[in-house]
């Protein structure tokens, strides 16, 4: 395979004037445009720094990403107008020196959250003219040094505020922006940050119809939108909250460590209290309910009188009935008590004491047998 690579040797003026450094920088450019490649070539000079693979059939599949990791000296990568449909996690993970990534005019519709992991030095990201409908702002978190973000010509209608505090230029025109209240945070961010919105006059609303052709940076919102969506966090406020959050976390972690050895005793004490309360409640319940059950069982503890017991009881009853006449000096209160005692027992003809718990049918059968 014939490669088209140009090696350029630079001695920057600053290095020529400096006594501390006399080293040179080598820039290796490789141009493979319009080669009809379906895969990234694996035999490119490993020292390549600028690689242009535009106007091919590359899809950036797993094989491509593995080959791409071997060109770890890359500073610029161009994949314009290929067949890329998806950006996978860690697809550029080993390209820590990459500063420019251009993937415009593809068919990208899915970008996984970790797609840009490892691109700590990336300054320009071009995703223009793809088929992106929605973007998770978290995908930009690894891009700490990003200066330019190009999202022109996609299908994005809503875009949450990205945490890109060093961003200087953003390109958003050519998208069907829905200028409802949900876009207020983006407008506040564009007006309060240092970022420049390129082609502001043509970055306009598509919905609703009443706001059509308004710039997304100047579209008027009513007071209700401002109450629903507070302004975004700026860099200074973010750093302030970050320091507070870190100190709070460290303090909580220290308190957790200090109190860890007390947890066992606390749990044991709590279990003891719960068990004590349950046992006390159970004893109180038993103390209240047991006399009722005892009386209920005791009421059934009656038995038939024997014949000699019945006769003795009748004799005693006769003697008691004649006692008022034998003691004329007894007062009326004693007479009343005796009367109540006499009528508290009812003697039936069969010599049994009447008990409401005795079955009457059973009693008649016994009378017939006797």
């Amino acid at each position: 395979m014939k490669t088209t690579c140009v090696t350029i040797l630079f001695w920057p003026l600053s290095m020529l004037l400096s006594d501390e450094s006399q080293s040179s920088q080598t820039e290796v450019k490789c141009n493979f445009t319009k080669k009809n490649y379906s895969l990234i070539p694996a035999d490119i000079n490993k020292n390549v720094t600028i690689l242009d693979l535009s106007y091919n059939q590359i899809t950036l599949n797993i094989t491509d990403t593995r080959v791409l990791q071997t060109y770890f000296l890359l500073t610029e990568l161009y994949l314009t107008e290929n067949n890329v449909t998806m950006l996978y996690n860690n697809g550029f993970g080993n390209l820590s020196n990459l500063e420019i990534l251009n993937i415009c005019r593809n068919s990208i519709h899915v970008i996984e959250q970790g797609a840009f992991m490892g691109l700590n030095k990336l300054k320009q990201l071009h995703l223009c003219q793809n088929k992106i409908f929605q973007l998770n702002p978290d995908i930009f978190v690894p891009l700490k040094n990003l200066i330019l973000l190009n999202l022109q010509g996609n299908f994005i209608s809503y875009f949450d505020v990205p945490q890109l505090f060093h961003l200087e230029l953003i390109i958003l025109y050519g998208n069907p922006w829905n200028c409802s209240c949900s876009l207020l945070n983006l407008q506040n961010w564009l007006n309060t940050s240092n970022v420049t919105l390129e082609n502001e006059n043509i970055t306009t609303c598509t919905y609703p119809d009443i706001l059509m052709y308004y710039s997304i940076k100047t579209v008027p919102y009513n007071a209700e939108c401002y109450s629903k969506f507070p302004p975004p966090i700026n860099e200074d406020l973010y750093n302030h909250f970050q320091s507070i959050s870190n100190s709070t976390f460290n303090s909580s972690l220290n308190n957790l460590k200090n109190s860890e050895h007390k947890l066992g005793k606390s749990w044991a004490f709590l279990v003891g209290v719960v068990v004590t309360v349950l046992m006390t409640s159970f004893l109180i319940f038993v103390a209240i309910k047991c006399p009722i059950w005892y009386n209920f069982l005791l009421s059934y503890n009656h038995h038939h009188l024997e014949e000699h017991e019945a006769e003795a009881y009748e004799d005693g009853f006769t003697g008691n009935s004649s006692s008022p006449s034998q003691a004329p000096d007894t007062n009326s209160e004693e007479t009343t008590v005796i009367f109540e005692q006499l009528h508290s027992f009812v003697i039936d003809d069969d010599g049994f004491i009447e008990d409401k718990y005795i079955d009457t049918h059973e009693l008649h059968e016994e009378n017939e047998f006797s």
Side-chain angles (χ1 to χ4, degrees), residues 237-268:
L237 192 58
Y238 174 82
N239 293 333
H240 176 68
F241 281 129
Q242 190 70 19
S243 61
I244 292 176
S245 177
N246 292 336
S247 61
T248 304
F249 174 77
N250 294 333
S251 176
S252 301
L253 185 60
N254 291 333
N255 292 336
L256 181 62
K257 290 180 179 179
N258 293 333
S259 60
E260 189 175 7
H261 67 281
K262 299 179 182 179
L263 292 177
K265 295 182 179 179
S266 300
W267 278 105

Side-chain angles (χ1 to χ4, degrees), residues 98-332:
L98 196 64
E99 296 181 359
I100 299 176
L101 177 59
N102 191 329
I103 326 178
C104 286
R105 283 184 267 175
N106 281 271
S107 300
I108 300 172
H109 62 275
V110 176
I111 301 178
E112 295 187 350
Q113 185 168 339
F116 302 126
M117 291 294 294
L119 299 179
N120 301 323
K121 295 182 180 180
L122 192 69
K123 296 180 180 180
Q124 297 184 24
L125 177 60
H126 299 269
L127 296 170
C128 54
Q129 298 183 36
N130 280 282
K131 297 181 180 179
I132 302 171
F133 283 85
Q134 188 175 5
L135 278 176
N136 184 347
D138 292 338
I139 67 176
F140 302 111
V141 171
L143 308 179
K144 303 296 184 182
N145 294 293
L146 193 67
I147 296 175
L148 185 151
L149 177 60
N150 186 355
L151 297 173
Q152 174 262 329
N154 282 279
F155 299 98
I156 304 172
S157 61
Y158 165 76
F159 186 48
D160 202 358
V161 179
Q163 301 296 331
L164 297 172
F165 299 125
H166 297 285
L167 198 66
E168 297 178 2
L169 181 65
I170 188 169
I171 306 171
L172 298 174
Y173 70 91
N175 287 283
W177 294 107
N178 185 351
C179 295
S180 60
C181 291
S182 58
L183 207 65
L184 177 60
N185 276 347
L186 178 61
Q187 185 190 81
N188 289 334
W189 177 72
L190 291 173
N191 289 319
T192 58
S193 65
N194 296 323
V195 67
T196 299
L197 178 62
E198 188 174 278
N199 294 320
E200 176 183 339
N201 58 332
I202 61 173
T203 309
T204 57
C205 305
T206 304
Y207 309 100
D209 294 340
I210 193 173
L211 298 176
M212 190 177 294
Y213 305 121
Y214 271 95
S215 170
I216 65 172
K217 192 174 180 180
T218 60
V219 60
Y221 288 102
N222 55 36
E224 183 181 356
C225 291
Y226 286 94
S227 63
K228 290 181 179 179
F229 296 90
I233 299 174
N234 58 34
E235 183 174 6
D236 295 334
L237 192 58
Y238 174 82
N239 293 333
H240 176 68
F241 281 129
Q242 190 70 19
S243 61
I244 292 176
S245 177
N246 292 336
S247 61
T248 304
F249 174 77
N250 294 333
S251 176
S252 301
L253 185 60
N254 291 333
N255 292 336
L256 181 62
K257 290 180 179 179
N258 293 333
S259 60
E260 189 175 7
H261 67 281
K262 299 179 182 179
L263 292 177
K265 295 182 179 179
S266 300
W267 278 105
F269 176 76
L270 181 61
V271 171
V273 170
V274 171
V275 171
T276 303
V277 170
L278 292 177
M279 291 299 297
T280 304
S281 302
F282 177 75
L283 292 176
I284 293 174
F285 176 80
V286 171
I288 294 174
K289 294 297 182 179
C290 276
I292 297 175
W293 290 101
Y294 176 76
N295 293 334
F296 179 77
L297 295 174
L298 190 64
S299 64
Y300 284 95
N301 196 21
H302 299 296
H303 59 278
H304 294 288
L305 294 176
E306 301 294 338
E307 292 184 1
H308 65 276
E309 291 178 352
E311 293 175 357
Y313 184 81
E314 291 177 356
D315 293 339
F317 177 77
T318 304
N320 290 335
S321 63
S322 61
S323 60
S325 60
Q326 295 177 359
D329 296 333
T330 305
N331 56 29
S332 61

